[in-house]
């Protein structure tokens, strides 16, 4: 019998401890062998089925991890550790909605575990559901007040919401007790430069690079700190160093492509920049133009009323068809292609009430116009009828004015959106404008880590991309960031004046 039966020489706890030790050493093959031994001798113990899954996905063997997870789920479908492994597999596939379901199941089975909250907040953040991400991260912080990872996720959410003051405070609370923690150091550097404390960001970045000279995220931040200081000679030198160290990583173009583009653009635009390729739009001397005149150089095409409010803030009230309108991209392009023919016609103009204000609605193009006239001002049917005739005449006048202006380009048109931010969307709108003539467009879209708020870049002759935090929620009492808009207009104006396209057209 002794030659037939094999008895384990160790207990299940001893076998599990050996497997755990191999995982701690990051000896994947040995860990898998030891977990297999545990499964063989103690198949009823979940550890031997669950933890090999983590060894496999951490080693990049996702298909094997998924097979192992399916086998484990057949035996232990509600085991909390298995639910966590399934969540991580979904995270690695970037299947964020599926990951959220697994994290929710893990929280139900093991509410005492912080990872079900922290990583659910991460998945929500990746989905762009930032209010939910904030609520989940705050819940993690409140439930686990000593967990620094929970606070770090709170900081990541604040950064994603572009609430830089809040992000800075949160990152500092991570960084102070753990100064060696790199994500916190980098988060502090980024937040400092975004709130304008650039000297402090420079000090922290330089100090960190003395210890980690090849760290990709530090190199990237070091370049952006120089850009924030308008020190473009330093930016050029740092860019060159970063290119050498990030070669082949895929990070360079993603994170620093805009900086390289700006350096090349300015190099090509002036003879001085050819000798020193470090002149930025912001660093060049502004043309003499008053802020009101600057605002008159631009005309809004939508998407909402933000730029119209900016012009009003700076004392300018130009006539513009879409200045206080809601115009989504696809209907706007359709209207441009159609030369706005339906605008102002009796059959196409609808009148609706919103919070007692009379609103105009173009049925064909889906464009909505403010009138700023309340229903209380129109107490009789006669006054309402006359108001509607006046509004239709006004729409026709502004429609014809816009078409004439497009055919004789004298302005830079502005379109700001949070949703339609792709280069394809930009190109489609620019193409519709250029069908009328050599028009110019400032397309404003959400900022990102490598294109901070206030940045303006040249996409092609006459086409500029600006970056802002988001559209204002006027119903919540918000106003656009007026100074940031002014700076974007000034930078775009300088770029436009430097080209033959507008040299003799704008003031």
């Amino acid at each position: 019998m002794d030659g037939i039966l094999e008895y384990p020489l160790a207990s299940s706890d001893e076998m599990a401890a050996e497997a755990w030790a191999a995982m701690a050493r990051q000896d994947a093959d040995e860990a898998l062998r030891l977990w297999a031994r545990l499964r063989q001798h103690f198949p009823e113990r979940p550890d031997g089925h669950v933890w090999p899954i983590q060894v496999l996905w951490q080693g990049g063997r996702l298909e094997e991890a998924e097979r192992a997870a399916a086998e484990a789920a057949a035996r232990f479908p509600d085991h909390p550790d298995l639910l966590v492994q399934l969540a991580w597999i979904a995270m690695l596939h970037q299947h964020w909605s599926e990951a959220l379901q697994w994290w929710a199941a893990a929280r139900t089975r093991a509410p005492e575990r912080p990872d079900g909250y922290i990583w659910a907040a991460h998945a929500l953040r990746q989905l762009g559901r930032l209010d939910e991400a904030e609520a989940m991260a705050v819940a993690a912080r409140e439930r686990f007040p000593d967990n620094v990872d929970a606070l770090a996720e709170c900081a990541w959410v604040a950064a994603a919401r572009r609430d830089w003051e809040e992000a800075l405070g949160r990152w500092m609370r991570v960084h102070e007790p753990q100064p060696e923690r790199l994500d916190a150091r980098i988060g502090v550097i980024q937040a400092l430069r975004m709130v304008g404390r650039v000297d402090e960001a420079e000090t922290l970045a330089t100090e960190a690079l003395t210890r980690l000279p090849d760290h990709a995220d530090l190199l990237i931040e070091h370049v952006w700190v120089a850009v924030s200081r308008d020190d473009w000679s330093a930016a050029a030198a740092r860019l060159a160093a970063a290119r050498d160290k990030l070669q082949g990583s895929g990070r360079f173009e993603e994170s620093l492509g805009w900086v390289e583009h700006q350096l090349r653009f300015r190099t090509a635009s002036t003879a001085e920049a050819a000798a020193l390729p470090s002149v930025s739009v912001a660093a060049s001397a502004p043309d003499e133009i008053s802020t009101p005149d600057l605002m008159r150089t631009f005309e809004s095409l939508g998407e909402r009323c933000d730029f119209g409010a900016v012009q009003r803030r700076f004392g300018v009230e130009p006539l513009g068809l879409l200045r206080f309108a809601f115009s989504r991209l696809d209907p706007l392009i359709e209207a441009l292609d159609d030369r706005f023919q339906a605008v102002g016609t009796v059959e196409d103009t609808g009148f609706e009430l919103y919070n007692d204000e009379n609103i105009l609605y173009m049925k064909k193009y889906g464009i909505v116009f403010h009138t700023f006239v309340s229903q209380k001002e129109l107490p009789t049917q006669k006054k309402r009828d006359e108001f509607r005739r006046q509004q239709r005449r006004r729409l026709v006048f502004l429609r014809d004015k816009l078409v004439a202006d497009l055919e004789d380009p004298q302005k830079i048109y502005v379109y700001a959106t949070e949703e339609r931010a792709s280069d394809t969307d930009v190109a489609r709108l620019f193409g519709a404008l250029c069908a009328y003539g050599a028009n110019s467009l400032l397309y404003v879209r959400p900022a990102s880590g490598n294109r901070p708020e206030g940045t303006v870049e040249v996409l092609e002759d006459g086409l500029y991309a600006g970056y802002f935090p988001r559209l204002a929620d006027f119903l919540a009492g918000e106003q656009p960031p007026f100074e940031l808009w002014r700076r974007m207009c000034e930078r775009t104006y300088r770029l436009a004046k430097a080209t033959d396209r507008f040299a003799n057209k704008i003031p």
Side-chain angles (χ1 to χ4, degrees), residues 352-353 356-360 369-371 373-375 378 387:
E352 299 178 1
L353 284 178
D356 198 49
E357 180 190 353
N358 283 274
I359 300 293
L360 305 184
F369 300 88
H370 280 290
T371 68
V373 176
S374 73
Q375 188 71 350
L378 307 171
F387 165 76

Side-chain angles (χ1 to χ4, degrees), residues 2-72:
D2 288 343
I4 297 173
L5 298 178
E6 179 183 352
Y7 293 95
L9 300 178
S11 69
S12 65
D13 287 342
E14 289 171 329
M15 287 187 179
E18 289 184 58
W20 278 112
M23 286 181 67
R25 297 193 304 270
Q26 298 185 353
D27 188 343
D29 291 337
E30 180 66 4
L32 290 172
R33 185 188 71 79
L34 292 169
W35 286 124
R37 185 181 69 162
L38 180 65
R39 282 198 308 278
Q40 177 187 359
H41 292 294
F42 301 98
E44 75 286 355
R45 181 160 176 157
D47 308 43
H49 301 265
V50 171
W51 293 108
I53 301 168
Q54 180 165 317
V55 177
L56 289 166
W57 63 253
Q58 284 183 335
R61 297 158 64 176
L62 269 179
E63 290 185 4
E64 295 174 75
E66 289 175 297
R67 287 196 295 270
E71 293 172 6

